[in-house]
Amino acid sequence: MATPLLEVDGLRKSFGGFTALNRVTLHVKAGERFGLIGPNGSGKTTLINCVSGALAADAGRILFDGRDITTLPAHRRTRLGIVRSFQIPKPFVSMTVLENLGIPLEYAGRGRGHAGGAAEATEILQAIGLEAKAHLRPAGLTQIEMRKLELARAMAARPKLLISDEAMAGLSSAEVDDILAILFRLNAQGITIIMIEHIMRAVMRFSERVVVLDAGERIAEGTPDEIVRNPAVEKAYLGE
Amino acid sequence: MARTVRAVLVGLAVVAAGIALAMLRVNPYLYFAGYVILQYVVIATAWNILGGYAGYVNFGTPAFFALGAYTAVFLIQSTRAPLPVLILAGGLVSALLGLGIGYLTLRLRGVFFSIATLALSIVLQTMIMNWDYVGGSRGMSVLRPSGPPFGSYVTFLFTVMVALAVVAVIVARFIERSWIGRGLAALRDNEEAAECMGVPTLKLKLFATTISGCLLGVAGAPFPYYVTFVEPNSAFNLDYAVNALAMPMIGGTTSWVGPVIGAVLLGAAQQLATVTISSEMNLFIVGVVLVAFVVLAPEGILGLVRRLRGR
Amino acid sequence: MFSWDLLANAVVAGLLLGGFYAAVSLGISLIFGLLDIANIAQPAFVILGAYAAYVMNSAFGLDPILTGLLFTPLFYALGVVVYRVYYTSFERRGEESLRGLVFFFGLLFIIEVSLSLKFGVDYRLVQTAYTSRSIDLGGVGIAFRYLVPCVVGVAMTLALYLFLGRTFYGRAIMAVSQDQSALRLMGANPVQIKTIAFGVGIAAASLSGALLISIAPVIPSTDRDYIGRMFAITVLGGMGSIGGTLVAAVILGVAESLMSTFSGPSWSLAVSFGILLLALAVRPAGLFGR
């Protein structure tokens, strides 16, 4: 078996007296569509924050492409290819949509002041359907357009591993399909994707493998069908 | 690149105009006032590199300015170094101060950096007041060197300040338009997102504090020769703290033009006002104007102009 | 030059100073520690309280602590107004960071300069029945003008602690500092709660300002001496911990007192700044922080 693209080994993270992650271990294979689910407060976002480098774990290791990145700062991890989108979109408000993409293109990608930036950014916007809004500020975008901008920005960072953190929350059914299609397309291009979602039909349709977290611990792993039938998972979501 | 070359040429033309002005020997008060206004151009521009571009508020401008001034005093006392050396040394020392404070606080939230700079001025002033070699609290007389290259020493300092102002503006403009400036804008807009998009936020922040500190020190280095009597209360004057904020805020913080507009407008207004109202009243008005702008017109004059143009 | 007597006196003076420093820092502990609003104008409000006490004392001979208590509702109202402006202009628009800081700095500035315009730069002090009295405890002299502010300071700390822990609004304030949305679900309005908290923080400045002028004469720029102290104490004690504020205040008081006794008073400001930087560098969560 080839080395997994991402390995999380015994990760622990506490906030004061509260343990958010308790020795979580999982791995994601290259090119995989991986789902991460769990009830609110189960530690999904904390895990993602630790993987992306926004938080420093208290214990455990994180390996990416065989390399130990546990102490690497977030921007270095991005340059290695770990890119995340944010649950609540965090656009660069003083810049246009195009300029928003310019930042990851310049900093996470190849070149400083790389002239090809605008062309590449436009391509990404076309692929995602935001081309018409290229010269608008984020303030002029709708909810779903903001989510798409988050994804477009992540794409501009040339990810090997894309972590989509609840990109579909609060969207309509058609909008969810829209985003899902984009993610499928990205995966087809070879990008490994971790999807964190509460919208079950999206996760189940998208994921090849799912890990379930509850109260900071990994309680189940398997294909979407296996997970759905797992009694521990049912208990976690519905309570005792 | 071509645009930068053009900017440098414009800058050189401005300096040449400054020298010509100095030769004109108009009312000497104009050179005194002009020096102060140009000094504020440097100060406001320097502050804005960190405050406007990166979004980190430095309340301790007097500390950096005075450190430049007192580095110069120290060198004048010990080695009689020429003015260019004083300027470089002042810039270097204040740059180090910026780097130091930045390194200690910039890994935390921005507000801690601001609080640290707020306390910094007071502490530094206390330390200088206890250092007799540079005059302590009594102050120190400084003799201007003989024979300036042209004109009187004041007109010479005036031209030096023209040159420094041009340099400061060119540096700011260059940063603003470069990949560094774009990265700073990203981290100002949303630091967490910027970091996740590959922007090395800590390094850029340290860069901005260092450059900002350096230019503030550069502004302060000629100060001893300008005032000829340096004492802590004037070097650490609160004027610098509030003006360094007010000028960019009033002019507009997102571009190099804003601090220049703010410095010229507010600086000139204050120069005109000093003859009619007390310096405290002057400070009071600046404070009120600052708060008014921050609350009502946060994008400054540049922002208002942009809105009028319909952008 | 060292002697046990000197040391004992320095430590006791430091402890007393600590009680007073706690009073001065309560407002910031509440506003910055709990509400996360960097109100750097707080020292100016404290100085305002000091001058209020001066005016009442010189005009009517009122004891400063009495003035401090009397003016507390006024300061509360002032706090409410200031917070409303801050909220409407910045917090609601999500632009707290840069502009909010500058706003408060502007306020600090305006208050200080206004006092300067009105009262000039002469030192102002108060005359009370106990200003020059002191008692002797086992060889250590304890001046009343230090003892009274310390006692009042500790009382204020206790009062705030009980307020936050035992009353409805107090607990609402603690709740809002942790999770605003939960509060909304409970039916309370977070903005209203924060307004009250801010008001209380400024109200505390009234009494602490009165204590300030009881200890030593003031000039308008005295507020600058307390910026470093207030934030050093809040950070060291742990953001949002009232008990931590008292502990940190005492630590700072003793450190300053020792420094002042053995190295000279001009270095006392460096102590608070040093503690602030150290706390930020080593343990930003403070001693008792969350």
Side-chain angles (χ1 to χ4, degrees):
Chain A
M1 194 190 78
T3 325
L5 184 62
L6 177 73
E7 270 181 84
V8 172
D9 190 14
L11 211 61
R12 214 167 24 156
K13 179 70 186 171
S14 311
F15 298 105
F18 171 65
T19 308
L21 292 175
N22 190 6
R23 300 204 169 284
V24 173
T25 297
L26 55 84
H27 66 272
V28 181
K29 296 183 257 206
E32 197 173 17
R33 292 191 305 275
F34 185 89
L36 182 63
I37 65 174
N40 270 318
S42 52
K44 307 187 295 294
T45 304
T46 309
L47 179 62
I48 290 319
N49 281 334
C50 287
V51 169
S52 71
L55 283 178
D58 296 332
R61 292 187 318 159
I62 303 171
L63 291 113
F64 184 71
D65 224 355
R67 173 180 168 171
D68 192 333
I69 61 166
T70 320
T71 52
L72 222 56
H75 69 270
R76 296 273 295 278
R77 299 189 201 192
T78 308
R79 296 217 198 115
L80 286 178
I82 303 177
V83 183
R84 54 124 10 131
S85 68
F86 285 93
Q87 200 169 340
I88 303 170
K90 293 177 193 271
F92 301 126
V93 294
S94 72
M95 307 180 195
T96 64
V97 165
L98 204 67
E99 288 165 345
N100 260 270
L101 267 63
I103 296 290
L105 278 173
E106 242 182 330
Y107 278 89
R110 242 174 286 119
R112 297 271 152 78
H114 197 64
E120 212 176 320
T122 313
E123 251 181 66
I124 296 176
L125 289 179
Q126 277 168 343
I128 211 166
L130 274 183
E131 193 194 339
K133 312 273 173 153
H135 298 289
L136 281 186
R137 295 262 162 85
L141 298 179
T142 66
Q143 228 345 317
I144 181 167
E145 285 169 342
M146 292 267 260
R147 304 293 179 81
K148 286 189 175 180
L149 176 57
E150 273 295 297
L151 276 182
R153 228 176 32 172
M155 284 156 66
R158 289 200 198 79
K160 285 189 192 163
L161 169 66
L162 172 63
I163 306 174
S164 159
D165 191 357
E166 297 197 39
M168 303 172 199
L171 295 182
S172 75
S173 194
E175 290 166 338
V176 168
D177 288 331
D178 204 348
I179 303 278
L180 214 51
I182 296 169
L183 292 174
F184 267 114
R185 262 204 317 270
L186 288 176
N187 182 251
Q189 291 168 17
I191 300 175
T192 311
I193 301 189
I194 297 179
M195 170 190 279
I196 302 175
E197 267 312 332
H198 279 300
I199 301 180
M200 280 306 136
R201 72 171 181 88
V203 182
M204 298 312 169
R205 249 181 68 200
F206 181 78
S207 315
E208 291 166 316
R209 203 157 52 93
V210 177
V211 158
V212 187
L213 289 185
D214 185 29
E217 303 208 0
R218 192 181 87 177
I219 60 168
E221 176 184 344
T223 67
D225 286 328
E226 291 167 355
I227 291 299
V228 155
R229 283 175 282 144
N230 188 319
V233 175
E234 219 187 287
K235 197 168 83 168
Y237 270 97
L238 299 176
E240 305 294 352
Chain B
M1 199 55 204
R3 279 190 300 188
T4 313
V5 171
R6 212 172 48 193
V8 173
L9 288 176
V10 169
L12 286 173
V14 172
V15 176
I19 296 180
L21 203 64
M23 302 295 215
L24 277 178
R25 291 170 188 278
V26 292
N27 184 348
Y29 181 70
L30 277 181
Y31 299 112
F32 279 100
Y35 178 92
V36 174
I37 295 176
L38 289 165
Q39 183 183 258
Y40 273 124
V41 169
V42 180
I43 291 175
T45 303
W47 186 93
N48 199 49
I49 290 176
L50 186 60
Y53 295 171
Y56 278 77
V57 182
N58 177 5
F59 290 121
T61 307
F64 294 89
F65 178 83
L67 197 59
Y70 273 97
T71 304
V73 171
F74 177 79
L75 285 176
I76 292 170
Q77 284 300 104
S78 56
T79 65
R80 278 264 130 203
L83 188 59
V85 174
L86 299 179
I87 292 176
L88 284 173
L92 182 65
V93 174
S94 286
L96 289 174
L97 180 65
L99 185 62
I101 291 288
Y103 189 75
L104 288 173
T105 60
L106 285 178
R107 273 168 299 188
L108 307 167
R109 292 182 312 163
V111 69
F112 289 117
F113 171 77
S114 300
I115 291 168
T117 58
L118 194 57
L120 179 65
S121 290
I122 302 149
V123 171
L124 213 60
Q125 184 171 0
T126 313
M127 285 167 62
I128 296 281
M129 287 211 267
N130 282 303
W131 194 16
D132 285 325
Y133 187 70
V134 292
S137 53
R138 285 163 295 120
M140 170 164 281
S141 267
V142 169
L143 278 177
R144 289 178 181 158
S146 52
F150 55 86
S152 71
Y153 207 79
V154 172
T155 50
F156 168 62
L157 279 184
F158 170 81
T159 2
V160 168
M161 211 27 104
V162 171
L164 292 179
V166 166
V167 167
V169 168
I170 289 183
V171 168
R173 186 178 171 283
F174 182 75
I175 291 177
E176 182 186 326
R177 288 165 183 256
S178 70
W179 58 273
I180 298 179
R182 287 191 283 273
L184 287 174
L187 83 86
R188 173 194 65 213
D189 283 353
N190 198 309
E191 193 163 330
E192 207 190 337
E195 178 77 23
C196 285
M197 288 292 119
V199 177
T201 56
L202 182 62
K203 281 195 210 131
L204 286 184
K205 285 189 287 189
L206 288 176
F207 173 78
T209 29
T210 308
I211 292 279
S212 180
C214 175
L215 288 173
L216 288 174
V218 161
F223 184 72
Y225 281 150
Y226 175 70
V227 288
T228 67
F229 182 77
V230 188
E231 43 112 28
N233 281 325
S234 66
F236 284 92
N237 197 329
L238 211 57
D239 271 11
Y240 296 119
V242 77
N243 277 323
L245 253 75
M247 288 169 179
M249 293 251 110
I250 289 172
T253 54
T254 48
S255 136
W256 62 270
V257 182
V260 175
I261 293 178
V264 170
L265 280 181
L266 205 58
Q270 284 176 51
Q271 287 297 306
L272 288 171
T274 37
V275 289
T276 44
I277 58 178
S278 72
S279 61
E280 263 112 12
M281 195 57 182
N282 172 27
L283 284 184
F284 178 77
I285 294 177
V286 175
V288 171
V289 172
L290 172 64
V291 173
F293 262 85
V294 161
V295 171
L296 300 169
E299 309 219 318
I301 291 177
L302 276 186
L304 291 174
V305 165
R306 244 183 261 139
R307 260 190 273 166
L308 282 175
R309 280 220 214 123
R311 236 243 272 170
Chain C
M1 214 219 68
F2 180 82
S3 82
W4 288 109
D5 245 0
L6 212 56
L7 180 67
N9 267 296
V11 170
V12 170
L15 290 172
L16 295 177
L17 203 57
F20 161 64
Y21 280 167
V24 158
S25 309
L26 285 178
I28 277 289
S29 200
L30 186 54
I31 293 176
F32 184 49
L34 282 178
L35 296 185
D36 209 27
I37 299 174
N39 172 19
I40 55 185
Q42 185 75 12
F45 288 108
V46 172
I47 280 292
L48 197 61
Y51 270 89
Y54 162 73
V55 166
M56 297 308 265
N57 182 264
S58 70
F60 307 115
L62 271 184
D63 181 273
I65 294 178
L66 203 60
T67 311
L69 289 168
L70 228 70
F71 274 59
T72 298
L74 224 81
F75 274 66
Y76 176 81
L78 182 61
V80 168
V81 169
V82 168
Y83 181 73
R84 284 281 162 193
V85 174
Y86 172 79
Y87 177 74
T88 339
S89 314
F90 312 104
E91 207 175 311
R92 202 173 50 175
R93 296 195 214 144
E95 291 171 1
E96 303 97 278
S97 40
L98 174 76
R99 310 240 147 87
L101 277 175
V102 176
F103 169 70
F104 284 118
F105 179 76
L107 272 189
L108 170 78
F109 201 72
I110 291 175
I111 293 177
E112 190 188 309
V113 176
S114 305
L115 288 172
S116 212
L117 282 169
K118 180 89 173 79
F119 296 99
V121 293
D122 294 320
Y123 276 93
R124 307 289 176 177
L125 43 85
V126 289
Q127 302 281 18
T128 65
Y130 50 82
T131 313
S132 33
R133 301 234 315 258
S134 67
I135 62 176
D136 200 312
L137 273 185
V140 176
I142 299 184
F144 266 85
R145 72 169 214 283
Y146 276 99
L147 183 62
V148 173
C150 174
V151 169
V152 175
V154 174
M156 279 173 76
T157 310
L158 194 64
L160 188 62
Y161 182 78
L162 291 173
F163 170 70
L164 289 176
R166 305 277 169 93
T167 68
F168 170 73
Y169 280 111
R171 273 179 298 175
I173 293 171
M174 294 295 280
V176 92
S177 76
Q178 298 195 20
D179 186 348
Q180 292 200 38
S181 34
L183 198 73
R184 221 173 260 125
L185 289 174
M186 278 164 46
N189 177 0
V191 179
Q192 187 206 28
I193 301 295
K194 286 197 276 187
T195 310
I196 293 175
F198 200 90
V200 171
I202 302 295
S206 172
L207 189 51
S208 35
L211 298 178
L212 174 58
I213 197 171
S214 303
I215 286 192
V218 300
I219 50 174
S221 60
T222 306
D223 60 349
R224 300 187 222 156
D225 296 346
Y226 284 87
I227 294 170
R229 289 183 181 132
M230 280 184 194
F231 283 99
I233 289 171
T234 305
V235 171
L236 181 64
M239 306 275 274
S241 165
I242 301 297
T245 302
L246 183 57
V247 173
V250 170
I251 292 176
L252 181 64
V254 173
E256 271 194 27
S257 184
L258 289 173
M259 181 65 108
S260 177
T261 305
F262 294 108
S263 305
S266 39
W267 292 101
S268 51
L269 285 178
V271 172
S272 55
F273 188 60
I275 288 184
L276 175 64
L277 286 183
L278 205 66
L280 287 179
V282 170
R283 190 176 155 77
L287 294 170
F288 301 98
R290 295 174 291 160

